[in-house]
Amino acid sequence: MYLESFIDLAGDAVVLAAGGLLIGMLFGAFAQSSKFCLRSAVIEFSHGLFGSKFSIWLLTFSAAVAGTNALIASGLLDVSSARQLAARGSLSGSLIGGVLFGSGMILARGCASRLLVLSATGNLRALISGLVLTIVGQASLRGFLSPVREALSELWTVQGGPSRSLLAIVDAGAVLGLFLGMLGLGGALWLARRARVGALAGASAVGVGLAVAAGWLLTFRVSQASFNLVQVKSISFIGPSADTLMGLINSPSLQLGFDVGLVPGVFAGSLFAALLAGEWKMQGFQDGPSMSRYLFGAALMGFGGMLAGGCAVGAGVTGGAIFALTSWVALAAMWAGALLTNYLVDERSVRSTNPREIVSAS
């Protein structure tokens, strides 16, 4: 009732942008407070340390799965028209792009969402790396790298519909998704307690996951109330960041929508959380080799994320929450690429370093 009134008053584009801004602010604040980071979780996992970083990631992922499927099971949400399920997908893109993204994530010391969150805390390394990631992502989507991306995407495809849904493939529904999400959440809470994760960090990690579910709910509700075609989606970063940046460069005004509100919202939420906790600090590159590593990793993530259909959040958490086949393949490939790159690039050169010190590096 209230949503329809807001749409009648301001228009669906304004409502989507405002909702994206609010959800982005919550995501940014929760991500900064919890230090949610897939890279840190991968490195911790590689050492058999199922500690705070891994449990934070698992809390977020499981909360997104449980929250999203609870909405679907209750009839409040329908994601059948979402791009990750309805459109033809690329398994080759998910595999190759996921590996490239995971490798780049290790080199740049953060995934797309983590770079955006860190850039709001005064981290110039993350800011510049994020800009490179965004530019390469745009070149991969519509620029000179798009033919390469399209060729790789066409190697192995899957039709949209039930064949792209893991739940449909096993002839199950959202109730099973909810059960698996709650099972993962229970395991994550046990790990978090064992790793002595603070209540604030744990609650914030769950908040990051629930922000993903909120994004799905908002865009679906607007799509049902609007007379215009509205895409049902949730939080992702590579595509929205690229579109927002190109819009600012090429046009005097931005076309309003969920993504336009999301990106600045995440930045603002992270900035607020960092200032509140006294964590804002200006940081830069240490030397030339360090800078080249970050930028090369960012470029790999930009191309790999576009090829995989999303970043560690867009494909891994948002797509994973609705059990999209290509998203789960991409997430597994990101883990594999990250584990392999961490072993070949970092671990082999720092054998004597304490694993916990490696995990804490940023």
Side-chain angles (χ1 to χ4, degrees), residues 130-148:
L131 289 173
V132 170
L133 182 154
T134 300
I135 292 170
V136 174
Q138 182 68 15
S140 305
L141 179 63
R142 300 188 178 92
F144 76 100
L145 290 175
S146 60
V148 181

Side-chain angles (χ1 to χ4, degrees), residues 153-230:
S153 296
E154 291 297 326
L155 294 176
W156 186 13
T157 63
V158 58
Q159 292 299 317
S163 59
R164 260 192 102 173
S165 170
L166 287 171
L167 293 178
I169 290 173
V170 298
D171 196 24
V175 173
L176 176 60
L178 173 59
F179 172 76
L180 293 175
M182 294 302 295
L183 188 65
L185 198 57
L189 288 171
W190 180 78
L191 288 174
R193 182 177 180 181
R194 191 181 69 169
R196 298 181 180 178
V197 173
L200 177 60
S204 296
V206 172
V208 175
L210 293 181
V212 171
W216 282 120
L217 180 61
L218 171 70
T219 57
F220 172 71
R221 290 291 304 276
V222 173
S223 74
Q224 296 297 293
S226 174
F227 290 105
N228 299 315
L229 181 63
V230 175

Side-chain angles (χ1 to χ4, degrees), residues 50 56 74 97 109 112 116 152 161 193 226 234 260 291 299:
F50 298 93
I56 287 292
S74 63
R109 292 191 166 92
L116 178 58
L152 293 174
R193 182 177 180 181
S226 174
S234 188
V260 170
M291 183 175 184

Side-chain angles (χ1 to χ4, degrees), residues 64-75:
V65 172
T68 301
N69 283 275
L71 292 171
I72 298 172
S74 63

Side-chain angles (χ1 to χ4, degrees), residues 43-130:
I43 295 175
E44 198 172 65
F45 177 83
S46 72
H47 293 281
L49 301 173
F50 298 93
S52 60
K53 306 296 184 181
F54 181 81
S55 60
I56 287 292
W57 182 85
L58 189 58
L59 279 171
T60 293
F61 182 77
S62 299
V65 172
T68 301
N69 283 275
L71 292 171
I72 298 172
S74 63
L76 296 174
L77 173 64
D78 181 3
V79 295
S80 59
S81 64
R83 169 185 60 84
Q84 293 93 331
L85 294 176
R88 186 166 66 102
S90 172
L91 289 171
S92 57
S94 297
L95 282 168
I96 300 170
V99 169
L100 292 176
F101 186 95
S103 178
M105 178 177 67
I106 293 296
L107 296 176
R109 292 191 166 92
C111 67
S113 64
R114 186 61 180 160
L115 292 180
L116 178 58
V117 169
L118 284 176
S119 66
T121 69
N123 192 319
L124 297 180
R125 300 189 302 267
L127 177 62
I128 296 173
S129 298

